[in-house]
Structures are given as structure tokens and as C-alpha cells.
Amino acid sequence: MTEFSYAEMTTRNRGFVNDAEQAKLREATVFIPGTGGMGGAALMALLRAGVGSFILADLDGFEVSNLNRQLFCTLDTVGVHKAEAARATALRINPEVRVEVQDGAWPEQRGGTPGAADVNVNGMDDAAAGVHLYRRARALGKTVIDAYASPLPSVTVVRPGDPRPEERLGYPTTGVPWTAVDAAMRNACLVREIEYVLVHSSSHAHVDLEIAAEVAAGKRSRFSFSTMVTMAGTMMAEEAIRVLLDRPGGTDCRGYFFNPHRVRVERPRSAPVAALRRLVVRRFLARMMAAA
């Protein structure tokens, strides 16, 4: 078996990071709840960048439908707990990496987990657990890297002093204990997120709107495509590295969308333009969801 060397593994990182920064990445800890699509892609990028410690959490095992986009999903890992499968692969890449695995009970049993990490990367698509993550991160003074439920790759960086997504997007969960968030609230959160995506990006031009309406109406699972998911996860990893190394620049809590179809970055629209578009989008969504 080839002998492992962390220095050799990361030697080609030089030029992007210096020796001190590489050492900082090696000592860093990243919490990733949700190690499937975007969370798994972010984990893979951070792992290969040389981050030395991870806390992983997930509720599910891999399914055949995950093979289209989730990097740690193979025929061999179908049925295996996602975070456990990710840990096993991580150790085959870097046998020195430290990986703690938690199951889906982390919000109830380990509410302080976000505080144990230097940065949090949200790979979940559950509104209740997401609300809990953001609230705990604020209380513990930690940053959360996230992305929208969008057909275009996107990324946000929510620092401790920033408004939470539930506050900024007007979720019905505001002021509600996360354990009391029910299915109707979860779907309402998704609709608000889709509304934001349609207002501030050109996503509508690149997807089947009938299927999107079924998703918004709660009649279909979210659709995902390999290139978009992997790009989003990689963008999340890049922002996580920026936070870990305390580098300037990057995005903010509103984030941005990358449109690979038109090769351009789409940033949040101005308030007056957004207000007008929101009226149109709400009417459109209501019409499409009624027909779904």
C-alpha cells in the first residue's frame, strides 16, 4: 500500500495557500449536517483541500436515486448511512483526517454541535433542522455557509450578526420553536425560498416550470442535476475556506447565483426592482401551484 503523506497530498495547494494557511486548514473543524448532494460536494472539496477535522451528520442512507449527483453514493453504498459512507471514503483519501459521525438526532441531542466547529456548511433540505442550525450558530457566534433551493448553483455566507434566512425571507417559523415546525410550515418555507430565487435570478428560464410548480405544491421531491449540485457544493467549500483563513471578499447573507448557461454571476436585485418582480412571481406561483 502506498504510504500516506499529508505534505505530499497538499503539495499542489501551494500557490493558492501558503504553508501557514495550509497548517490552519489542517487544524480546522467543519460541521456538515447533510452529506448528500451539496453537502457531500463541499465535504469532498474541503477534504482534498486538507481540512483536518469534520463533524458529519445525516438522517438517511443512500438510495439509487442519489447516484445522479451525490459524490459519496455508489452501488456499494446504497443503503449505507450517508455520513458513515462519507467517513469511510474520507479515510481512504486522507487516513489522518478526524471524522466524527452523528445521526439525524443531532439537533435534539447535540444542539451545541455548531459551536464545536470553526464553520458550518449546511447540506440539509429540512426547514426545521435548518432553523435550529441557524439559531444555534447565532447563539454560539458561528458562521453558516449555505445555498438556495435553486436550479442554478448558489451560495450564501451567514455570519453571526446577519439576519437568519427565516427572518430575511419571511418564513412562518419566526418565533416558533424548531420542534413545532410542521409539514405545512416546511412547505411554506420552501415556497418563500423559491419565490426569492425567481425574483433574484433567471432560474425560471432554465427549468421545467410545471415540475417546479409540483415541487412548490409539495407534490414532488426537489429536482437536482449533477453539475449544478457539484458546482454549488464547491462554491460553498470555497466560501468556507475563505472564512477559515479569514480572507477578505466573498459573498454575504444574500449570496449570489452562478448561471453557467449564460456564464455570468447574478446578484440580488435592487429593492424597487425586486418589489415589482415579487408581485409578478407571487401571482405566477399561485397560478402554477393551483394547476399542479
Side-chain angles (χ1 to χ4, degrees):
M1 180 180 291
T2 301
E3 184 177 351
F4 176 78
S5 164
Y6 180 88
E8 182 65 20
M9 184 190 91
T10 59
T11 187
R12 296 199 181 193
N13 291 358
R14 300 303 185 273
F16 292 97
V17 297
N18 59 35
D19 289 345
E21 289 174 324
Q22 189 65 65
K24 195 170 185 178
L25 291 178
R26 191 176 191 179
E27 294 302 314
T29 299
V30 178
F31 175 43
I32 307 180
T35 56
M38 293 185 299
L43 169 58
M44 183 65 84
L46 292 168
L47 172 69
R48 293 185 184 276
V51 169
S53 181
F54 295 93
I55 304 170
L56 308 179
D58 213 299
L59 178 65
D60 302 318
F62 283 117
E63 302 175 353
V64 172
S65 63
N66 300 147
L67 287 166
N68 80 318
R69 69 198 183 282
Q70 300 191 11
L71 298 186
F72 293 96
C73 182
T74 66
L75 287 177
D76 291 336
T77 61
V78 168
V80 179
H81 185 262
K82 291 182 179 181
E84 289 287 359
R87 179 182 184 275
T89 299
L91 288 169
R92 288 198 293 272
I93 295 169
N94 176 3
E96 296 178 359
V97 72
R98 301 173 297 280
V99 184
E100 175 187 341
V101 171
Q102 301 176 2
D103 59 22
W106 75 265
E108 299 96 339
Q109 298 175 3
R110 301 179 181 87
T113 294
D118 298 296
V119 68
N120 302 277
V121 177
N122 185 19
M124 302 180 292
D125 59 6
D126 179 78
V131 161
H132 181 61
L133 172 66
Y134 273 103
R135 292 175 183 175
R136 292 299 298 152
R138 170 184 275 170
L140 296 165
K142 300 294 183 176
T143 294
V144 180
I145 312 296
D146 209 339
Y148 294 108
S150 169
L152 294 178
S154 60
V155 62
T156 64
V157 178
V158 183
R159 294 175 172 82
D162 292 332
R164 309 293 90 179
E166 63 177 330
E167 300 162 350
R168 188 170 56 82
L169 301 182
Y171 289 174
T173 58
T174 303
V176 177
W178 76 269
T179 51
V181 176
D182 58 22
M185 287 182 181
R186 284 181 168 90
N187 195 63
C189 292
L190 176 59
V191 171
R192 288 296 176 90
E193 192 170 353
I194 291 173
E195 176 186 293
Y196 184 90
V197 168
L198 293 176
V199 167
H200 293 281
S201 77
S202 62
S203 292
H204 67 282
H206 309 293
V207 295
D208 186 321
L209 292 177
E210 291 185 5
I211 292 180
E214 291 178 6
V215 173
K219 297 180 180 180
R220 174 188 286 267
S221 299
R222 297 184 187 185
F223 49 88
S224 300
F225 195 65
S226 60
T227 55
M228 304 302 166
V229 169
T230 304
M231 275 190 277
T234 303
M235 288 160 55
M236 294 165 77
E238 173 66 19
E239 292 294 343
I241 288 171
R242 191 185 307 279
V243 171
L244 292 172
L245 299 182
D246 196 26
R247 288 181 168 180
T251 191
D252 59 14
C253 64
R254 300 173 304 161
Y256 67 89
F257 302 88
F258 174 63
N259 187 333
H261 307 283
R262 298 179 180 173
V263 195
R264 71 184 189 191
V265 169
E266 298 177 358
R267 298 190 180 276
R269 302 180 190 275
S270 65
V273 173
L276 291 174
R277 286 180 62 90
R278 191 174 297 111
L279 292 173
V280 175
V281 166
R282 285 182 176 175
R283 292 195 192 100
F284 167 76
L285 279 175
R287 192 165 58 248
M288 291 293 289
M289 290 169 63

